[in-house]
Amino acid sequence: MRAPLLATTCLLFGFVSPTIAEDWFRFRGPQLTGLSTETDWSHAWGETGPPVLWRSAVGIGLSSVVVSEGRAYTLGNADDVDLVICLDSNTGAELWRHTYSCPLDANEFEGGPTSTPTVDGAQLFTLSRRGDLICFDKVSGHIHWQTQVAELAKVRTPTWGFAGSPLVIGELLLVNVGDAGVAINKQSGEIVWGSADRDAGYSSMVPVQVAGNQAVVFGSARSYVCVSVQSGEELWRERWLTTFGCNAADPIVADQRIFISSGYNRGCALLELSGKQNAQVWKNKEMQNQISSCVLIDGFLYGIHGDVGAGTQLRCMDFSSGDLQWSDESLQPGGLSAAGQRLILLSDDGELIIVEASPLGSNIVARHRVLNEKCWTAPVLSNGKIYCRSALGELVCLQVGKDER
């Protein structure tokens, strides 16, 4: 079954071949899978760990990093002011920043922005927890347009604010705002379609084809929902009740099947798409992604099981059957991404850990402490560098490219 699964994934997201370097221009990477295609990087660090290129203070928050053409972007907050920061990816020098008033709004975590910026061509899009949606020139920081999308769409702000990262498809900018999303004209900032005034979830949107329609699937507060990109028409909805309405992990789409998962003892399920219908293939509680989404490698899901701050485990699960392959509670992961057959973990207390992606067991091949604070943000590998960020806003850039060692 795994060969058809891989083939369908390549058709869905575009063929992916191994690369020496790539820009990571949106949340969970170019293919929206949390997987980097970079091959020319090394985990042979030795006792001293990977070389630190630079460190920077970017403000409180859980926003991850995106990288485009030598620039790294992220969001933070300092003294109830949100920061949009652009850094030189090689030196860490600040190239520009934009600020606007926004409450830190600490609530069961340190607070600050939880959405990650998105680069599309020459434009950079950011979304605050309160719904400030801004389109920048990515090089100069000049603002092309800005709007308060929650007010524009006449919808409420959920308990922990808006967390999904903006997604560009064609001329539309899609955001997880309202019960089933909002679409904005990416050139003008004008609303194209909206949805009902009910709590949004906290996941980002993932593209999927449904009966020939270009669609997106994502978590709302009470369901995982699939809507047409062009019209906003709801194509299907899977009722998925979670404590606090916290559906935050992005769906995993492969072979016309969709994996969904939430924390707070909710569990996970695999849905099979057929036309505009979906059927449940299996459901269990063996993988509970509270914040960080799984990665799918060769037919197996690797993910963070459990609620961050209360004890997490790294787990491996068979995608097709839902059978748990193994669980390792010794690593306490806070964020996860992957490249090739290697998982890139950031523990909740700042240790960078590289683990072989194998259904046979958890084999650690490298580890080194790079931060000394709470870390719930996924690490990013881009152009031979790994970016790790703490909740209090320390961002470290590590050189792991083979040609630089």
Side-chain angles (χ1 to χ4, degrees), residues 376-395:
W376 289 357
T377 301
V380 166
L381 169 63
S382 179
N383 298 305
K385 304 174 183 67
I386 293 179
Y387 300 83
C388 300
R389 189 245 177 86
S390 75
L392 291 179
E394 183 176 4
L395 176 62

Side-chain angles (χ1 to χ4, degrees), residues 160 202 220-221 242-249 262-264 289-291:
W160 284 283
Y202 304 100
S220 73
T242 307
T243 303
F244 310 118
C246 193
N247 292 321
S262 298
Y264 303 102
N289 298 151
Q290 183 200 28
I291 294 177

Side-chain angles (χ1 to χ4, degrees), residues 36-365:
S36 170
T37 61
E38 293 197 23
T39 55
D40 198 30
W41 67 284
S42 173
H43 55 71
W45 305 330
E47 294 183 0
T48 59
V52 175
L53 278 184
W54 49 264
R55 293 179 185 269
S56 182
V58 296
I60 295 171
L62 301 181
S63 178
S64 191
V65 174
V66 293
V67 181
S68 176
E69 297 182 332
R71 295 172 175 82
Y73 305 88
T74 193
L75 306 176
N77 185 286
D79 300 321
D80 291 324
V81 173
D82 268 5
L83 318 172
V84 182
I85 297 179
C86 172
L87 304 172
D88 184 296
S89 62
N90 293 309
T91 67
E94 187 173 307
L95 301 178
W96 59 261
R97 73 165 53 192
H98 176 72
T99 62
Y100 54 89
S101 296
C102 191
L104 179 66
D105 197 18
N107 180 5
E108 306 295 337
F109 77 111
E110 285 73 7
T114 50
S115 173
T116 297
T118 296
V119 174
D120 177 62
Q123 297 174 312
L124 175 78
F125 299 98
T126 63
L127 176 66
S128 80
R129 288 176 66 192
R130 290 297 179 92
D132 304 283
L133 184 62
I134 309 177
C135 174
F136 298 92
D137 180 283
K138 73 174 184 182
V139 174
S140 68
H142 170 75
I143 294 176
H144 292 304
W145 55 260
Q146 57 185 320
T147 189
Q148 220 303 329
V149 67
E151 294 179 3
L152 184 67
K154 300 179 180 178
V155 297
R156 70 196 70 179
T157 303
T159 302
W160 284 283
F162 300 110
S165 299
L167 174 65
V168 177
I169 298 181
E171 291 300 305
L172 295 181
L173 178 68
L174 306 173
V175 288
N176 190 352
V177 171
D179 179 52
V182 171
I184 300 290
N185 183 300
K186 73 175 184 180
Q187 303 299 343
S188 67
E190 297 175 344
I191 191 167
V192 177
W193 53 258
S195 60
D197 179 20
R198 291 191 286 269
D199 280 351
Y202 304 100
S203 85
S204 298
M205 296 178 170
V206 178
V208 62
Q209 293 290 321
V210 177
N213 293 317
Q214 190 175 34
V216 286
V217 60
F218 53 98
S220 73
R222 301 173 66 85
S223 309
Y224 273 85
V225 60
C226 181
V227 302
S228 165
V229 169
Q230 295 304 316
S231 68
E233 174 193 0
E234 186 173 309
L235 303 178
W236 57 260
R237 179 180 293 259
E238 180 76 14
R239 184 174 171 84
W240 195 258
L241 299 179
T242 307
T243 303
F244 310 118
C246 193
N247 292 321
D250 293 3
I252 306 293
V253 179
D255 201 20
Q256 285 302 103
R257 292 179 290 178
I258 298 176
F259 171 81
I260 58 177
S261 180
S262 298
Y264 303 102
N265 200 39
R266 181 61 173 94
C268 57
L270 185 68
L271 310 177
E272 182 93 39
L273 295 182
S274 177
K276 292 186 179 181
Q277 303 294 320
N278 66 73
Q280 196 171 98
V281 179
W282 55 258
K283 181 173 72 171
N284 62 45
K285 294 189 176 183
E286 299 291 2
M287 186 73 80
Q288 299 173 31
N289 298 151
Q290 183 200 28
I291 294 177
S292 191
S293 307
C294 287
V295 294
L296 176 61
I297 301 174
D298 293 340
F300 292 93
L301 292 160
Y302 300 87
I304 299 174
H305 170 81
D307 301 339
V308 288
T312 58
Q313 303 168 20
L314 178 64
R315 286 192 166 185
C316 174
M317 168 184 282
D318 187 290
F319 181 78
S320 295
S321 68
D323 293 339
L324 183 66
Q325 304 300 300
W326 53 260
S327 180
D328 186 339
E329 59 186 37
S330 69
L331 303 179
Q332 296 289 298
L336 166 71
S337 60
Q341 300 298 315
R342 290 170 285 183
L343 307 177
I344 305 171
L345 304 180
L346 187 60
S347 74
D348 65 2
D349 63 353
E351 190 175 17
L352 181 63
I353 308 170
I354 309 300
V355 179
E356 285 185 358
S358 168
L360 300 180
S362 174
N363 181 26
I364 300 168
V365 296

